[in-house]
């Protein structure tokens, strides 16, 4: 059966994209902590408090689906990325517990946890970007590719900063919101660098990817060329709306965040289009890596029943906590 | 065992041992919180609100520790044990996937509502959120113990050409040791959480004897422990008989029986000697093991020699078993003494309070010891009769494992230290923040 591996590729991709966008904004808020004063930090933390646990669960789902549906790829990819994975996990652990501990600490203890929260967020984001760089260059670890991966890591950090800053634009007000508008514009440059690097490197690394984008084939070429166009439009949209908000013009406060999400969705779709049907470029396809159909269908039924509920109560949770974040209100 | 296999085991063992500490508390603490929350809803009393707010913080802290250490597990299944997923992934994978799908999102999402939503959702919805978090933690335990039990007593699988696949999911989930293991683990969680509640409440009373809310939660912990401890001893015994039926080699190691014999003695204490295949300095009751396990003093029990190379190492299983049983008996005794010491609203004497404070994390010791008994007792198998541990390891070099092991040890050490310091500090001060914010919240509610 060839349909199930495709279904699971879509599911896994959706989970990873959900993770990148959702944990992306709270990692971004974490990385921005040192740029704000103590009072603003409380509001920033409050804006992500009810969500970060569930946001990280999307990573477990994405990795879990890969483990279940494509065990061969799970071993191959995560084995090759072993040390950056460890760095990411240590980062996620530090920030997760720092988030809880800082709420209960006072004085210099609180400062210490603030720094660990920042450090953990930064380390996890950096590691994720670094892994993306190694992944698209085929896991080779020569000097040039390590440098390239570091640049991609910078791009991913910038992208998360963009998500975090635009999230703060949506969820805060006053001086902090004005600061966030500046941060968002700064993040935009980094995300442009990251997207450009990944877009140029993937075709350079592999002929299959090159052909997919640059061999003319109507209407496919036309449709895929929409992706860079939409990305560029979203980029300009974020630039324009943040500028307008800065000048106090009337623009919906969700506009920059929506634009940032659109950039991520386009970049992710482009990458997915480049790779499909490979899980490891030119080496391992989804059909080669797939688990037995019986295992896949057992999970597919469960996912079909449960995922609507997950989406439902996630939406419910975001509705409950809509509006502007206030310091202390979340200090459970 | 070569170095990489040893490091893979050491690292995975460290991770899972560290991880299990926190779910062991939260599975049952979630239900204790439901009790606190329902009492708050029924009485509307400010003291129940303070109690709930304090313990919800303890829960959030513990839950976060469990989440972050649990994420690590989802990566290590594949990196440390590539052979596990390649060989039995068609059974293990779906069980893990169901845990993520049915439990993790439920817990994490409603935890947000439970922690931060008290003033944002109607009361009934907040009670429901607390219940759903508890349901989520229990569902999570259900799936992971189904998988773990299947690894001990596999059933329901079949072969499709080269691959092991699921034949009958019902048999896989409700495999022979599952009902016993699940009950044993849920009771272990109940006892662990009960002692955490009692211990931290006692710690508070040592600081402030007149704290009525702490006395009440001490009583809750003590009574719960006193109810669960005898049930756990009974269930543990049944679980042991189930193990004798399905994994006799583990029982031989637990009891320190080297040679197959009729009328096997009950070894109370000894130093198992793997070289001579005997027990040094043994203190034992003649025919005791046969009597307890087979209800017949002359019955034959299989020894380690009956399993040749398929027998587990005796000493760790033997000692861990005695630590588990010893802790269980001590917890049983202390709980019942505590029931007496807190009768009719009495505040126990300081030595008694110190006793409970010292036993705050007693459940951890018993749980980890029990876990060593069951997991080391399964060796050399990863999945009994199906897959050996050595066949599943590999993939990652010894150097990478060594480096990451160091990083984990340092991170976990820091986390555990901070956890215990923050917990004792928070509860020792009676959650004064919690009391203050509860008061102001109550005032807001009336205006």
């Amino acid at each position: 059966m060839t349909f199930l591996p495709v279904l699971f590729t879509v599911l896994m991709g959706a989970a990873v994209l959900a993770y990148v966008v959702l944990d992306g904004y709270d990692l971004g808020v974490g990385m921005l902590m040192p740029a704000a004063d103590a009072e603003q930090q409380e509001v920033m933390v409050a804006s992500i408090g009810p969500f970060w646990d569930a946001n990280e669960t999307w990573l477990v789902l994405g990795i879990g689906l890969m483990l279940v549906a494509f065990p061969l790829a799970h071993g191959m990819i995560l084995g090759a990325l072993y040390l950056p994975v460890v760095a990411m996990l240590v980062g996620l652990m530090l920030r997760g517990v720092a988030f809880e501990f800082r709420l209960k600490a006072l004085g210099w203890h609180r400062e210490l946890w603030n720094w660990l929260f920042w450090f953990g967020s930064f380390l996890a984001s950096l590691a994720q970007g670094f892994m993306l760089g190694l992944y698209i260059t085929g896991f080779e670890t020569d000097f040039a590719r390590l440098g390239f991966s570091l640049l991609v890591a910078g791009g991913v950090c910038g992208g998360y900063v963009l998500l975090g800053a635009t999230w703060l634009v949506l969820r805060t007000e006053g001086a902090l919101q004005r600061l966030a508008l500046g941060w968002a514009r700064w993040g935009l440059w980094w995300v442009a660098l990251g997207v450009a690097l990944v877009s140029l490197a993937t075709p350079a690394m592999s002929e299959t990817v090159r052909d997919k984008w640059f061999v003319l084939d109507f209407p496919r070429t036309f449709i895929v060329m929409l992706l860079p166009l939409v990305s560029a439009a979203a980029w300009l949209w974020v630039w324009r709306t943040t500028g307008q908000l800065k000048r106090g013009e009337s623009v919906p406060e969700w506009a920059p965040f929506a634009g940032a999400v659109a950039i991520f969705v386009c970049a992710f779709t482009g990458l997915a289009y480049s790779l499909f049907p490979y899980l490891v470029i030119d080496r391992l396809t989804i059909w080669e890596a797939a688990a037995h159909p019986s295992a896949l269908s057992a999970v597919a039924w469960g996912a079909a029943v449960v995922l609507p509920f997950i989406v439902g109560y996630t939406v419910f949770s975001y509705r409950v906590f809509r509006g502007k974040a206030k310091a202390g209100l979340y200090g459970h | 065992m070569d170095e990489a296999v040893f490091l893979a085991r050491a690292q995975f063992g460290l991770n899972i041992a560290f991880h299990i500490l926190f779910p062991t508390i939260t599975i049952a603490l979630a239900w204790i919180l439901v009790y606190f929350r329902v009492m708050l809803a029924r009485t509307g009393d400010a003291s129940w609100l303070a109690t709930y707010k304090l313990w919800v913080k303890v829960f959030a802290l513990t839950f976060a520790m469990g989440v972050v250490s649990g994420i690590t597990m989802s990566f290590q299944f594949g990196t440390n044990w590539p052979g596990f997923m390649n060989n039995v992934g068609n059974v293990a994978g779906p069980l893990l996937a169901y845990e993520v799908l049915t439990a993790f999102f439920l817990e994490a999402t409603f935890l947000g509502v439970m922690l931060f939503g008290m003033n944002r959702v109607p009361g009934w919805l907040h009670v429901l959120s607390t219940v759903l978090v508890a349901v989520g933690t229990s569902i999570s335990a259900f799936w992971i113990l189904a998988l773990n039990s299947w690894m001990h007593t596999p059933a329901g699988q079949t072969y499709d050409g080269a691959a092991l696949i699921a034949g009958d999911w019902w048999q896989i989930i409700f495999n022979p040791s599952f009902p016993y293991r699940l009950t044993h683990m849920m009771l272990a969680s109940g006892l662990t959480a009960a002692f955490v509640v009692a211990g931290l409440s006692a710690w508070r009373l040592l600081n402030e004897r007149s704290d009525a809310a702490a006395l009440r939660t001490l009583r809750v912990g003590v009574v719960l422990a006193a109810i669960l401890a005898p049930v756990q001893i009974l269930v543990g015994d049944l679980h042991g008989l189930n193990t004798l039926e399905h994994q006799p080699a583990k029982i031989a190691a637990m009891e320190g029986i080297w040679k197959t014999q009729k009328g096997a003695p009950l070894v109370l204490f000894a130093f198992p000697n793997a070289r001579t295949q005997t027990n040094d300095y043994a203190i034992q009751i003649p025919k005791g093991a046969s009597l307890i396990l087979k209800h017949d003093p002359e019955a034959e029990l299989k020894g380690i020699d009956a399993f040749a190379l398929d027998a587990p190492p005796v000493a760790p299983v033997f000692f861990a078993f005695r630590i588990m049983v010893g802790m269980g008996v001590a917890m049983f005794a202390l709980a019942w003494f505590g029931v007496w010491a807190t009768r009719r609203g009495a505040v126990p004497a300081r030595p008694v309070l110190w006793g409970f404070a010292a036993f705050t994390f007693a459940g951890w010791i018993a749980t980890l010891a029990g876990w060593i008994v069951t997991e080391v007792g399964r060796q050399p198998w990863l999945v009994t009769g199906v897959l050996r541990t050595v066949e599943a390891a590999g993939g990652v070099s010894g150097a990478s494992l060594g480096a990451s092991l160091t990083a984990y040890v340092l991170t976990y050490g820091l986390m555990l230290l901070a956890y215990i310091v923050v917990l004792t500090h928070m509860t020792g001060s009676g959650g004064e923040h919690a009391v203050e914010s509860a008061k102001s919240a109550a005032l807001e509610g009336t205006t």
Side-chain angles (χ1 to χ4, degrees):
Chain A
M1 186 125 117
T2 54
F3 166 69
L4 279 168
V6 177
L7 174 73
F8 274 86
T9 310
V10 173
L11 278 179
M12 187 172 81
V16 171
L17 179 60
Y19 169 76
V20 166
V21 169
L22 295 174
D23 212 29
Y25 79 70
D26 70 50
L27 284 164
V29 170
M31 282 188 281
L32 287 167
M33 289 283 280
D37 67 33
E39 216 169 302
Q40 290 165 339
Q41 287 178 345
E42 297 311 307
V43 183
M44 290 165 73
V45 165
S47 79
I48 59 175
F51 309 114
W52 77 267
D53 258 329
N55 290 349
E56 283 190 3
T57 308
W58 289 97
L59 177 64
V60 180
L61 181 64
I63 295 300
L65 284 173
M66 177 155 79
L67 180 72
V68 173
F70 309 108
L72 218 53
H74 188 275
M76 197 190 233
I77 296 172
L78 298 180
L81 298 175
Y82 194 76
L83 290 180
V85 163
V86 174
M88 176 190 78
L89 292 171
V90 168
L92 289 178
M93 282 191 258
L94 285 178
R95 77 184 289 270
V97 295
F99 185 91
E100 287 296 329
F101 286 147
R102 67 177 296 290
L103 287 173
K104 282 107 192 164
L106 292 170
W108 72 270
H109 278 144
R110 190 162 200 148
E111 275 305 298
L112 175 70
W113 289 118
N114 276 340
W115 278 106
L116 282 173
F117 184 61
W118 169 82
F119 175 74
S121 303
F122 189 54
L123 182 64
S125 310
L126 207 60
Q128 286 177 6
F130 192 72
M131 278 148 59
L132 175 63
L134 288 180
Y135 175 65
I136 60 179
T137 53
F139 307 122
E140 299 294 328
T141 49
D142 55 59
F143 200 69
R145 290 184 220 207
L146 285 179
F148 171 81
S149 302
L150 270 178
L151 280 176
V152 175
V156 167
C157 287
Y160 287 174
V161 162
L162 174 66
L163 282 170
T166 51
W167 170 257
L168 290 174
V169 170
L170 173 61
R171 302 300 307 271
T172 66
E173 50 203 344
L176 178 56
Q177 190 188 42
R178 277 194 297 281
L179 272 177
L181 286 166
W183 297 335
R185 286 162 88 88
W186 189 80
L188 268 178
W189 291 112
W190 279 98
V191 88
L193 172 76
V195 172
L197 281 175
V198 174
S199 311
L200 294 176
T202 20
M205 286 306 300
S206 151
E207 202 173 326
T208 5
V209 177
R210 197 154 55 232
D211 290 351
K212 274 189 178 176
W213 287 89
F214 300 119
V215 171
L216 287 178
D217 169 24
F218 192 83
R220 194 186 64 181
T221 314
F222 181 73
I223 295 170
V224 299
M225 281 306 158
L226 281 176
L227 277 173
L229 285 177
V230 174
S231 307
W235 194 95
L236 285 170
W237 163 265
V238 179
W239 185 262
R240 199 178 127 84
T241 49
T242 46
Q244 286 170 321
L245 282 167
K246 256 187 158 174
R247 291 191 296 275
E249 291 169 31
S250 163
V251 177
E253 286 171 330
W254 51 260
F257 185 69
V261 172
I263 294 174
F264 270 85
V265 172
C266 286
F268 190 87
T269 313
L271 190 61
Y273 170 74
S274 293
L275 291 178
F276 189 85
Y278 289 102
L279 286 166
V280 180
I281 300 182
D282 293 339
R283 280 200 289 192
L284 185 68
T285 68
I286 58 171
W287 296 287
E288 288 161 353
H292 196 273
S294 67
L296 293 181
S297 67
V299 180
W301 284 109
V305 173
V306 178
L307 274 175
F309 285 97
I310 293 177
V311 171
Y313 57 67
T314 302
V315 170
F316 160 77
S317 155
Y318 277 85
R319 279 192 59 82
V320 166
F321 296 106
R322 67 187 180 278
K324 299 293 181 189
K326 295 269 186 296
L329 190 65
Y330 295 129
H332 62 88
Chain B
M1 193 160 37
D2 73 55
E3 187 194 17
V5 179
F6 174 76
L7 282 170
R9 282 188 70 188
Q11 192 195 65
F12 194 76
L14 171 80
N15 267 307
I16 205 162
F18 182 74
H19 173 67
I20 193 69
L21 299 178
F22 306 103
T24 305
I25 293 178
T26 50
I27 292 167
L29 187 57
W31 290 107
I32 297 176
L33 272 179
V34 168
Y35 171 69
F36 291 164
R37 185 63 186 83
V38 169
M39 290 310 286
L40 168 62
R42 284 179 50 186
T43 62
D45 192 294
S47 73
W48 278 114
L49 182 62
T51 297
Y52 178 78
K53 289 225 161 189
L54 173 64
W55 288 96
V56 101
K57 281 189 198 175
V58 175
F59 182 85
L61 206 60
T62 315
F63 190 84
M65 299 281 284
V67 167
V68 294
S69 57
I71 293 175
T72 312
M73 312 291 323
S74 70
F75 285 86
Q76 289 195 344
F77 277 121
T79 54
N80 289 32
W81 307 111
F84 178 69
M85 290 310 287
N86 289 343
N87 286 293
V88 300
N90 293 321
V91 169
L95 295 176
L96 288 169
Y98 272 78
E99 185 182 8
V100 180
L101 287 168
T102 58
F104 288 174
F105 283 100
L106 191 70
E107 298 172 285
T109 307
F110 285 98
L111 179 70
V113 180
M114 177 171 127
L115 287 176
F116 305 109
M118 209 170 196
N119 301 321
R120 286 181 169 247
V121 296
W124 66 268
L125 195 49
H126 193 254
V127 174
L128 180 66
S129 299
T130 310
V131 172
L132 285 174
V133 170
V135 169
T137 56
S138 294
I139 292 177
S140 171
F142 175 92
W143 289 113
I144 203 68
L145 282 156
L147 171 56
N148 184 260
S149 298
W150 181 81
M151 289 164 66
H152 284 273
T153 55
Q157 72 278 16
T158 166
Y159 284 89
D160 166 36
L164 180 140
I165 61 167
D168 180 343
W169 280 107
W170 187 265
Q171 278 187 38
I172 288 171
I173 294 169
F174 296 96
N175 61 76
S177 66
F178 175 66
Y180 300 94
R181 196 180 310 277
L182 178 67
T183 316
H184 197 44
M185 184 65 215
M186 294 305 268
L187 288 167
S189 174
L191 278 165
T192 304
F195 270 88
V196 166
V197 171
L200 292 176
S201 304
W203 177 244
R204 169 61 184 162
L205 288 169
L206 283 167
N207 286 303
E208 178 52 67
R209 248 186 115 69
S210 64
D211 188 331
L215 181 62
R216 187 168 57 192
T217 48
L218 172 67
R219 178 80 182 168
V220 169
V222 162
V223 169
L224 183 62
I227 296 169
L228 296 183
V231 182
Q232 178 69 310
I233 290 171
L234 179 70
V235 169
D237 182 54
L238 292 173
H239 190 21
L241 293 177
N242 177 265
T243 307
L244 178 66
E245 189 183 338
H246 296 279
Q247 296 174 286
K250 189 190 289 184
I251 293 289
M254 282 158 68
E255 302 291 354
I257 301 168
W258 292 94
K259 294 184 176 55
T260 304
Q261 56 192 289
K262 289 193 166 127
L266 181 67
V267 183
L268 295 179
F269 194 78
F271 287 94
N273 187 329
R275 197 176 44 80
T276 59
Q277 303 267 300
T278 54
N279 295 321
D280 298 340
Y281 313 107
I283 302 166
Q284 53 194 31
I285 300 170
K287 304 185 195 297
S290 290
L291 184 64
I292 287 179
L293 290 165
K294 299 259 175 150
H295 305 293
D296 168 10
E298 297 305 326
E300 182 179 273
L301 278 182
K302 282 196 173 135
I304 292 293
D305 61 350
F307 307 100
L309 289 174
D310 287 342
V314 175
V317 179
F318 179 88
F319 286 123
F321 180 61
R322 271 143 196 81
I323 292 171
M324 177 187 76
V325 172
M327 284 310 296
V329 171
M331 288 162 81
F332 173 85
L334 186 62
W336 277 97
F337 180 70
V339 169
W340 176 80
T342 55
R343 71 198 183 285
R344 289 193 292 274
V347 183
R350 287 184 74 84
V352 180
L353 292 175
W354 273 114
F356 274 103
F359 264 61
T360 304
F361 296 110
W364 279 359
I365 297 171
T367 304
L368 284 183
W371 174 73
I372 289 170
V373 171
T374 200
E375 298 298 306
V376 178
R378 190 190 56 224
Q379 303 301 323
W381 298 103
L382 190 58
V383 180
T384 308
V386 174
L387 182 68
R388 285 171 190 277
T389 306
V390 287
E391 294 171 300
V396 182
S397 75
S400 288
L401 282 167
S404 54
L405 183 59
T406 313
Y408 284 128
V409 168
L410 289 174
T411 312
Y412 289 166
L414 171 76
M415 284 165 66
L416 194 60
L417 180 72
Y419 175 76
I420 292 174
V421 169
V422 171
L423 215 57
T424 47
H425 186 78
M426 199 165 74
T427 50
S429 69
E432 259 141 29
H433 277 323
V435 177
E436 286 308 310
S437 60
K439 275 181 191 153
S440 55
L443 281 175
E444 276 169 33
T446 55
T447 50

